[in-house]
């Protein structure tokens, strides 16, 4: 079994520790191939915010974990690339606020008999 480590700055995700709380729901995504998807790979390297990580260091064994994508579930059609720490925090806070607002509306609608 291949051991996978997340290369994102400060992340401790490691496939050897699936049983730990911080690993619940985490999956690993292989970096885009720098030979065929150079621009996207550069974007991922930049998002990892590590001065020692360069595009030349990316191999087929370079992974990032799902925590570093909007929502923490890995790439989606709407958000295919990881975000740097400051952007990720802001994006997730915004997404949580939108979710909280939609819950409030649903609860209010239910109280007012709009939902059956």
């Amino acid at each position: 079994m291949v051991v996978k480590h997340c290369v994102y700055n400060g992340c401790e995700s490691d496939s050897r520790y699936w049983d730990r709380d911080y690993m619940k729901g985490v999956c690993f995504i292989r970096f885009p191939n720098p030979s065929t998807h150079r621009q996207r790979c550069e974007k991922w390297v930049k998002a990892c915010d590590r001065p020692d990580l360069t595009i030349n260091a990316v191999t087929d064994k370079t992974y990032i974990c799902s925590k570093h994508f909007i929502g923490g579930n890995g790439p989606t059609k709407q958000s295919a690339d990881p975000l740097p720490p400051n952007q990720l925090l802001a994006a997730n806070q915004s997404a949580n606020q939108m979710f909280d607002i939609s819950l409030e509306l649903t609860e209010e609608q239910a109280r007012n008999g709009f939902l059956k």
Side-chain angles (χ1 to χ4, degrees), residues 90-101:
N92 282 333
Q93 286 175 341
S94 177
N96 287 339
Q97 288 172 346
M98 294 293 285
F99 181 73
D100 290 345
I101 290 169

Side-chain angles (χ1 to χ4, degrees), residues 1-3 8 20 22 36 40 47 49 52 55 65 78 86 97-98 102 105 107-108 110:
M1 181 176 178
V2 175
V3 174
Y8 198 87
R20 298 192 179 169
Y22 67 87
T36 56
R40 189 162 185 224
D49 194 32
D52 62 324
I55 195 163
C65 77
Q78 294 78 20
N86 59 340
Q97 288 172 346
M98 294 293 285
S102 70
L105 289 174
E107 290 170 0
E108 183 179 335

Side-chain angles (χ1 to χ4, degrees), residues 65-104:
C65 77
S66 53
K67 295 177 184 180
H68 311 295
F69 294 81
I70 294 176
N73 298 315
T76 63
K77 231 179 217 185
Q78 294 78 20
S79 179
D81 299 315
L83 295 176
N86 59 340
Q87 290 179 16
L88 184 62
L89 181 61
N92 282 333
Q93 286 175 341
S94 177
N96 287 339
Q97 288 172 346
M98 294 293 285
F99 181 73
D100 290 345
I101 290 169
S102 70
L103 280 179
E104 289 172 16

Side-chain angles (χ1 to χ4, degrees), residues 2-7 28-32 34 57-64:
V2 175
V3 174
K4 299 174 184 174
H5 307 272
C6 180
V7 297
F28 291 90
I29 301 93
R30 188 178 307 179
F31 262 62
V58 173
T59 70
D60 62 342
K61 294 176 180 65
T62 305
Y63 295 91
I64 189 168

Side-chain angles (χ1 to χ4, degrees), residues 2-43:
V2 175
V3 174
K4 299 174 184 174
H5 307 272
C6 180
V7 297
Y8 198 87
N9 191 9
C11 187
E12 296 180 1
S13 294
D14 186 314
S15 64
R16 295 174 294 177
Y17 308 115
W18 287 113
D19 58 333
R20 298 192 179 169
D21 286 342
Y22 67 87
M23 289 297 298
K24 284 190 169 72
V26 172
C27 64
F28 291 90
I29 301 93
R30 188 178 307 179
F31 262 62
N33 184 323
S35 299
T36 56
H37 298 94
R38 186 169 186 85
Q39 286 183 325
R40 189 162 185 224
C41 186
E42 287 173 345
K43 197 179 209 182

